[in-house]
Amino acid sequence: FGLVHSTKYPNPVLSFDCTPGANQLAVGMANGVLAVRSRPKKKRPSHYGAGGETPGELAEHHLLRSSSDGQGRRPRWRNMLTANSYRYFLRGQNYKLSEDQVNDTSIAVASKPKKVNLKPFDKSLKKFRYREALDQSLQTRDPSIVLAVLEQLCAQGGDGHALQSALSQRNASSLQPIMKCLCKYVADPRTMKVSVPIAHALFDLYTQVVGISNEFDTKVMQLYERVHSEMKAQEELIQLQGMLEPLLFAQYSRN
């Protein structure tokens, strides 16, 4: 056997099939993409007309030019559909299958991708409006959404510019929801990796404001007490671990 033709695909091929006339080849790849290739039609010699038209095209042209709509007006001339025109890329979009084609399992119909409805804070993040994204997440009053947006702001860019842009230029009233969220989740082991950097960034920006607003000072004291109680609990746990380790080691050495 000799290799006659070969073609390459960007992903592994899982299945393929061709039409009975071997004019079209359908290939299904591992990433879910269906690639369909058609055999190009052979062009006939262009000695039929002055512009290279075939007899069928000349007859169609003659029919379009000679027919009229009863009022003496002839229909407009339509050029052939080629890749040089915009209509070429819109072909088949409004085509509807017949009943026989719908029941035919050999016809593969690609489903249209569903439009993803993004939340307002997701749209703001895509437009790099970090301050608006944080405010919109706080309006939901959902701690999971607020922490998710804060985590995205920490990871955005990697230099902390996004987080600093979202937290800066705020007054005491706009800082209240953020401080309330930090006071509640700063000691939670599941959210500690997000809330602790947020607290550091917040105090770096508003250290000079402490002592001016009573509301902000109250939240700062609540956050301090929350962190202090968590650190005290961690110290007690470490002491308890130090007391249990000799007992466990002695028990294991006897066994």
Side-chain angles (χ1 to χ4, degrees):
F1 297 97
L3 181 61
V4 178
H5 180 73
S6 63
T7 180
K8 293 183 179 180
Y9 291 93
N11 293 282
V13 177
L14 296 181
S15 61
F16 71 94
D17 197 1
C18 61
T19 57
N23 294 325
Q24 290 182 336
L25 175 65
V27 177
M29 289 173 280
N31 61 344
V33 175
L34 175 63
V36 180
R37 293 190 176 184
S38 302
R39 183 191 299 272
K41 296 182 179 180
K42 295 182 180 180
K43 295 183 179 180
R44 296 184 179 180
S46 59
H47 60 274
Y48 295 104
E53 299 89 347
T54 62
E57 295 173 357
L58 289 174
E60 183 181 359
H61 181 204
H62 177 72
L63 179 62
L64 289 174
R65 299 292 294 177
S66 60
S67 61
S68 60
D69 56 356
Q71 300 179 1
R73 292 180 299 180
R74 296 178 178 178
R76 295 179 58 185
W77 167 265
R78 294 190 66 183
N79 296 328
M80 293 182 61
L81 189 61
T82 60
N84 297 330
S85 61
Y86 180 68
R87 292 188 298 110
Y88 178 82
F89 299 96
L90 299 178
R91 67 194 192 282
Q93 292 187 359
N94 299 325
Y95 179 78
K96 296 182 179 180
L97 297 177
S98 61
E99 295 182 359
D100 298 336
Q101 292 175 340
V102 171
N103 299 327
D104 190 358
T105 58
S106 62
I107 299 177
V109 180
S111 58
K112 293 183 179 180
K114 296 183 179 179
K115 185 178 180 181
V116 180
N117 295 325
L118 297 177
K119 299 294 183 180
F121 51 84
D122 289 329
K123 295 180 181 179
S124 300
L125 286 175
K126 291 186 66 176
K127 297 179 181 179
F128 304 102
R129 299 175 181 175
Y130 304 122
R131 182 184 176 86
E132 294 182 10
L134 182 57
D135 292 338
Q136 290 167 353
S137 64
L138 291 171
Q139 291 176 1
T140 60
R141 297 183 180 181
D142 190 349
S144 60
I145 295 178
V146 176
L147 292 173
V149 172
L150 290 174
E151 184 178 5
Q152 181 65 26
L153 292 174
C154 292
Q156 194 81 16
D159 55 353
H161 172 72
L163 181 61
Q164 185 177 2
S165 177
L167 296 177
S168 60
Q169 298 179 359
R170 291 180 177 272
N171 52 20
S173 60
S174 61
L175 287 173
Q176 288 297 316
I178 304 175
M179 293 296 296
K180 184 178 180 180
C181 184
L182 290 177
C183 292
K184 187 175 181 180
Y185 294 99
V186 70
D188 194 340
R190 298 170 296 180
T191 59
M192 191 177 296
K193 292 183 179 180
V194 180
S195 56
V196 172
I198 299 298
H200 281 291
L202 195 64
F203 286 119
D204 290 340
L205 292 173
Y206 297 98
T207 303
Q208 300 177 357
V209 186
V210 177
I212 298 177
S213 175
N214 294 330
E215 298 177 356
F216 185 73
D217 294 344
T218 302
K219 291 298 181 183
V220 170
M221 291 302 301
Q222 291 179 1
L223 183 62
Y224 171 77
E225 294 175 357
R226 180 71 170 167
V227 173
H228 182 70
S229 61
E230 181 65 21
M231 291 179 61
K232 186 176 180 180
Q234 293 291 337
E235 291 177 358
E236 293 178 356
L237 290 175
I238 292 174
Q239 293 177 2
L240 181 61
Q241 182 180 2
M243 296 171 59
L244 291 175
E245 282 182 355
L247 299 176
L248 295 175
F249 180 76
Q251 183 66 26
Y252 291 149
S253 60
R254 291 177 183 178
N255 298 333

